Amino acid sequence: MVGWSLGIAFYVAIVGLLLYRAFRPQRRPEVIEWAAGHGLRTTDLDWDQASRYLYRSRCLRTVGFVIPLLAGGTTSIVWALVYTQPSPPFPFDLLGQPSLLVGYLLGAVLAEVTWTRPRTQKAALVPRRVADYIGRPALILIRVVGLATIAGGVIGHWFLADHIRAGFKLGPAPAVTAAAVLVTMEASLWFIVHRRQPVGSESQMMLDDALRSTTIHRMAGAGLGMMFLFLGYELFRIGGGIEGQAPRIILPWAAMACVFVGAPLSWRRVGHPRLWLVRRHASSEAAPRTDTADRTAT
């Protein structure tokens, strides 16, 4: 019982540390570093708005991450102590690594959806695309990894059935889940980019763009990380069950690369970039200004 007590204490300490870091006040140096990474001038920065949004987003993302972490850890401990089976049954077995990123992603979406922007009688008419906020390579990678996961599930379930060793079953659940996450990601990114942007000064519009970009990067990093975890799971299952020496060697190594390289790099490089400028500001200087055109706010 000493081992279990130490494990539970360590687990609770991790959760407490995450919540403490999430709900501590937003520090001014952190806001300055964030503003510099997005090309914002600190002299024109609305500190109150930036701090409140960053704090709100951080809290909701962390809570979304901690809820499945706490629920999954609790159910695993209960099943290990009370029941003889090594892991909890469905649907509690879904509370693994991908579910943590799902909660994180939903927290980022909730922070954006519930954030009320100033209401005006005019809205900016500057064209906006998702690629302006995150970059086309990241979008392509999300779609390629997501489609590869779906294809892996389809191929493993329907076309490799005769090549799978006895005792192995390749269900379509990971592919279906990846498809649902991919569709949700695409819809959420489009919604955030095309939300109404009130007319204001250039610095106010740049701040609004920077806040959108931050949320989009957090979502994309979590979503791409999930795709790599799903793809790694598919490759592990196919490699462990398929007949043939070469696939049983190559596929598990590819799965390990997805899980231990692709997912962490996605979280870090795509979800938390140190420098990112919204592209349309650089390309719209020569274009005629349309940010004062009349448009009924929607």
Side-chain angles (χ1 to χ4, degrees):
M1 291 300 294
V2 175
W4 275 107
S5 299
L6 291 176
I8 294 173
F10 179 77
Y11 179 75
V12 172
I14 292 295
V15 173
L17 179 61
L18 290 174
L19 293 176
Y20 166 75
R21 289 180 58 84
F23 285 92
R24 63 175 172 78
Q26 191 75 40
R27 298 170 181 171
R28 190 178 181 89
E30 295 173 341
V31 182
I32 293 176
E33 183 181 3
W34 170 83
H38 287 273
L40 301 177
R41 296 186 298 269
T42 56
T43 55
D44 300 331
L45 185 63
D46 186 341
W47 292 98
D48 182 61
Q49 182 181 3
S51 298
R52 285 189 293 110
Y53 185 91
L54 294 175
Y55 175 79
R56 181 191 190 92
S57 178
R58 186 183 65 195
C59 291
L60 290 175
R61 285 184 282 112
T62 305
V63 169
F65 183 91
V66 165
I67 288 176
L69 173 64
L70 190 59
T74 302
T75 53
S76 297
I77 292 173
V78 169
W79 253 263
L81 291 176
V82 179
Y83 300 98
T84 56
Q85 59 188 108
S87 60
F90 181 84
F92 300 105
D93 58 344
L94 299 178
L95 297 171
Q97 289 180 338
S99 66
L100 307 181
L101 296 179
V102 170
Y104 183 94
L105 188 151
L106 293 178
V109 175
L110 185 61
E112 172 65 27
V113 170
T114 58
W115 180 259
T116 303
R117 287 177 167 81
R119 291 191 173 275
T120 66
Q121 295 302 315
K122 298 179 180 179
L125 295 180
V126 179
R128 295 194 296 270
R129 302 174 305 168
V130 176
D132 297 335
Y133 290 82
I134 190 174
R136 193 170 298 278
L139 285 175
I140 293 175
L141 188 59
I142 291 172
R143 292 161 184 169
V144 167
V145 176
L147 292 176
T149 305
I150 297 171
V154 172
I155 293 172
H157 185 64
W158 279 284
F159 295 99
L160 295 181
D162 296 335
H163 303 278
I164 299 298
R165 293 182 297 159
F168 281 84
K169 294 182 180 181
L170 300 179
V176 173
T177 306
V181 172
L182 187 60
V183 171
T184 302
M185 277 282 298
E186 293 283 350
S188 299
L189 292 175
W190 187 94
F191 169 77
I192 291 176
V193 169
H194 291 86
R195 283 196 74 187
R196 179 180 60 86
Q197 186 176 45
V199 170
S201 65
E202 183 67 18
S203 61
Q204 290 174 330
M205 295 186 66
M206 290 182 66
L207 173 60
D208 186 83
D209 273 337
L211 295 175
R212 290 175 198 256
S213 179
T214 299
T215 297
I216 288 171
H217 274 275
R218 300 291 191 264
M219 290 176 51
L224 184 56
M226 275 189 288
M227 295 300 176
F228 271 116
L229 291 177
F230 287 136
L231 180 59
Y233 180 67
E234 288 284 3
L235 295 177
F236 265 125
R237 293 198 315 156
I238 295 176
I242 196 171
E243 297 176 347
Q245 189 65 23
R248 292 178 62 184
I249 295 176
I250 296 174
L251 293 182
W253 279 104
M256 292 178 64
C258 291
V259 173
F260 296 108
V261 178
L265 283 181
S266 301
W267 178 277
R268 185 63 184 169
R269 303 290 294 180
V270 178
H272 298 79
R274 296 184 62 86
L275 175 66
W276 181 263
L277 303 179
V278 178
R279 302 303 185 187
R280 65 184 183 87
H281 284 294
S283 61
S284 63
E285 293 176 356
R289 292 182 60 85
T290 58
D291 58 348
T292 56
D294 291 341
R295 180 180 178 183
T296 303
T298 57

